[in-house]
Amino acid sequence: MSRHYALTRWPYHYGEAYDSDIAFVNKLIEANNRGWEALAEEILEVKFKALSRKKVECDPDLKAQFKEHRDRLKKLLTDLKNDYFTRTLADQEQDIQSMTQTAKTIVELVKAFQSGYQEKKKERGLVDFNDLEHFALAILIEKIPAGVEKTDVARQLEQKFTEVLIDEYQDTNMVQETILRAITKENPGNLFMVGDVKQSIYRFRHAEPSLFLNKFKTFKATETSGHRIDLAKNFRSRKQVLDATNFIFRQLLDETVGEMDYDDDSQLIYGNVNYDLQVKSDPEAELIIIDRAAQTGTDDDQDDLQKAELEARAYADKIKQWIGHGKKEATLVFDKDTLESRPCHYRDIVILLRSLTDAPVIMEELKNQGIPVYAELDTGYLEAIEIQVMLNVLKIIDNAKQDIPFASVLKSPIVGLNEEELTQIRLTNQKVSFYEATKHYTLEHSNDLTAKLQRFLEQFTDWRIQNRTLDLSALIWYIFRDTGYYDFVSGMPGGRQRQANLRALYDRARGYEETSFRGLYRFLRMIERMEERGEDLGAARALGEKEDVVRLMTIHKSKGLEFPMVILGAMDKQFNKQDLNAKYLLHKDFGFSSKYIDPNKRLMYPTLMYRAIREQMKKEQWAEEMRVLYVALTRAKEKLVMIGPSVTLVRK
């Protein structure tokens, strides 16, 4: 062994410590096979042999690498000992048992809430999507002592359908699977499922990839009744995009962490040979790492705003290169309809992000550089000026003695007063509401301002009369026409989006009235509660498919879509671990567990069961994040660029 290490310039003087470490690890593996107590006994005796301090000639890089790997092993085993084995198994079981009453109380509260919530929905004639699923389930299956069986309705439907075809099967949850099984035949089966488990990214909607994976493995066996057809070829993307994706996932995805192996059956195979008709100058996938310290003159403690701006500039540089700004020629993209090449347009480009937290900053930077960009944001709707104006109109119709909304309407384009005119009205009588002061002004003065106010007060009186007879949505549209405000906003910057926002206000008011809720006051109160909670309705969609703009969207939104040029940004984003740090954890297989809590001693720490559930949930999250990355990479047809800032990698 020593001669071998010496010949390869290994630090052979560390060989004794290496052999000791290997023997100790093997001892732990053997103890683990004998059970918890045996493993606890061995791991508590963990002692690492000191490294030899002999000065020998060896490769310094290999020496540092050996120390790094050994330090990782020491930390892993030390953390394992501290997390699981500093207390006896009996003590840890006692912790779990002591939380039994707490768990029962939580279950009772949840059941009571569910019962009360369902009763309230029933009173108001409301159902949500989950209700529809479970109502369908109740119609199709019934409980029996041995389990469940199909109802007569399910058996009738089973005979009615010759074939049942399911698309996007990888996103099916257990409730949906049970419904499908209830209405399909078993032997021979008549259920045809299509999907790609590597694109299952809706875990937050309880999508269950294991349903697909079990069939994927089972149907491969010849003795089963199921038949598997592998659609291996990819006709969307260039070979370079597929090669990059395969290269990444051959190293990332396996059954231990990613819930499946990225083997030959799973890899992407180039199928669209039409791309070979076009010679592309730079088709290779790219990874661009932004050196923030070099660009800003500072180190990695820059805030997120500056980081987003730097990334947006990198996006802009790449987009300008593709579009052909200046004297450069535009990059050619392949048109699948004409089978000919054409210059790249803005609409051929998408920027994909895990979330749109930094979207406003990115959009502002791109617009400053002359790049048209669009994103469907979940915020900003209630803050839009045209929505604020209309909400203030509705507020004063409901109650005219609200000074701020009333003054806002007077200053808006609906009336068009300036600050000086508002001051004149207020000085007329400072002890009454702005509405009363406005009426006083029209009685005491005769000038151009009086004429404006009289016209508005006549309109306002009419709106209040209409409110008594019209539905809320009809009232909103009546005000649009009466004031011309809907047409007015079309001439403002972003006019199409502003009109779409106003139409959405009308649509939301109409949808609100389709429930058991009624009336202007309740609608306004709902909006106020949303604002108090920091919620929003999301900007209305105002973009057509042919609009020549760069799209900015989340990876989840992009699923099922394709774009010639894809920029995958914010590659340094950390996983969101908020769900893993809750006081209570719930898992579909492992069940429910909480941290140990002693309110008298003011103690709280994770129980053994809590740790087990957390580890399982963490593995599932990693698998989900891998699939999200897979979806992002496979949106690209011709060019894939991954961009992110340099980061300091810390092993955890």
Side-chain angles (χ1 to χ4, degrees), residues 497-564:
Q497 180 65 55
R498 296 182 190 278
Q499 283 191 319
N501 285 343
L502 290 176
R503 287 197 304 272
L505 181 65
Y506 166 80
D507 290 337
R508 282 156 179 160
R510 187 172 60 181
Y512 177 81
E513 291 189 316
E514 287 176 354
T515 68
S516 60
F517 300 100
R518 291 287 187 277
L520 177 58
Y521 171 78
R522 284 188 173 183
F523 180 75
L524 292 173
R525 188 71 192 100
M526 179 194 75
I527 297 295
E528 288 172 5
R529 285 197 299 267
M530 291 183 65
E531 291 177 318
E532 289 168 1
R533 293 193 298 263
E535 298 175 358
D536 209 326
L537 292 170
R541 181 175 176 83
L543 185 72
E545 290 185 5
K546 299 299 182 182
E547 294 286 339
D548 194 23
V549 297
V550 174
R551 268 72 168 177
L552 180 65
M553 63 176 64
T554 64
I555 299 171
H556 279 87
K557 281 279 187 181
S558 74
K559 189 170 181 290
L561 304 178
E562 57 184 36
F563 297 88

Side-chain angles (χ1 to χ4, degrees), residues 275-519:
Y275 281 124
D276 298 336
L277 301 176
Q278 176 205 8
V279 178
K280 194 171 178 67
S281 58
D282 185 24
E284 297 296 334
E286 298 180 52
L287 172 63
I288 299 175
I289 300 176
I290 303 168
D291 187 347
R292 292 167 62 191
Q295 294 201 31
T296 63
T298 56
D299 53 26
D300 283 341
D301 62 358
Q302 292 286 314
D303 59 33
D304 289 339
L305 180 65
Q306 291 170 312
K307 180 174 75 69
E309 287 175 345
L310 286 175
E311 283 203 38
R313 290 171 199 165
Y315 305 158
D317 290 342
K318 185 57 66 174
I319 292 168
K320 288 178 179 178
Q321 175 187 327
W322 290 336
I323 296 298
H325 275 220
K327 296 181 180 180
K328 296 180 181 179
E329 292 186 2
T331 300
L332 297 178
V333 298
F334 188 74
D335 192 313
K336 65 180 180 181
D337 296 324
T338 63
L339 299 183
E340 294 180 354
S341 298
R342 60 167 176 78
C344 178
H345 301 302
Y346 288 117
R347 63 174 174 268
D348 297 318
I349 303 169
V350 67
I351 300 171
L352 298 181
L353 302 172
R354 188 65 176 85
S355 69
L356 294 183
T357 306
D358 296 326
V361 177
I362 295 170
M363 293 176 71
E364 187 66 26
E365 182 65 31
L366 293 180
K367 288 176 181 177
N368 289 340
Q369 299 208 33
I371 297 173
V373 59
Y374 174 83
E376 281 188 60
L377 300 178
D378 293 331
T379 59
Y381 178 78
L382 294 177
E383 296 175 359
I385 186 64
E386 63 277 4
I387 297 302
Q388 283 292 312
V389 168
M390 280 306 304
L391 288 176
N392 283 331
V393 169
L394 296 175
K395 286 177 182 178
I396 64 174
I397 291 174
D398 180 58
N399 180 3
K401 295 183 179 181
Q402 299 182 79
D403 285 357
I404 294 176
F406 197 88
S408 169
V409 174
L410 291 179
K411 195 174 185 299
S412 75
I414 291 175
V415 183
L417 303 190
N418 56 37
E419 289 83 354
E420 183 179 344
E421 291 170 325
L422 291 173
T423 303
Q424 292 176 28
I425 295 170
R426 182 75 275 180
L427 291 175
T428 301
N429 190 329
Q430 300 181 46
K431 296 182 179 180
V432 297
S433 68
F434 220 108
Y435 171 58
E436 295 294 339
T438 301
K439 292 196 293 184
H440 288 173
Y441 188 93
T442 59
L443 295 174
E444 297 174 8
H445 299 81
S446 179
N447 51 33
D448 290 342
L449 175 56
T450 303
K452 288 182 183 179
L453 294 177
Q454 285 176 337
R455 283 196 300 271
F456 169 67
L457 289 174
E458 289 174 4
Q459 275 186 314
F460 182 57
T461 301
D462 180 44
W463 298 343
R464 301 186 81 179
I465 294 172
Q466 296 298 331
N467 182 42
R468 298 170 192 164
T469 57
L470 295 178
D471 290 339
L472 176 58
S473 57
L475 173 65
I476 290 173
W477 200 259
Y478 182 86
I479 296 170
F480 286 168
R481 288 184 300 153
D482 193 38
T483 60
Y485 189 61
Y486 180 81
D487 295 323
F488 172 83
V489 299
S490 67
M492 297 171 64
R496 290 187 62 186
Q497 180 65 55
R498 296 182 190 278
Q499 283 191 319
N501 285 343
L502 290 176
R503 287 197 304 272
L505 181 65
Y506 166 80
D507 290 337
R508 282 156 179 160
R510 187 172 60 181
Y512 177 81
E513 291 189 316
E514 287 176 354
T515 68
S516 60
F517 300 100
R518 291 287 187 277

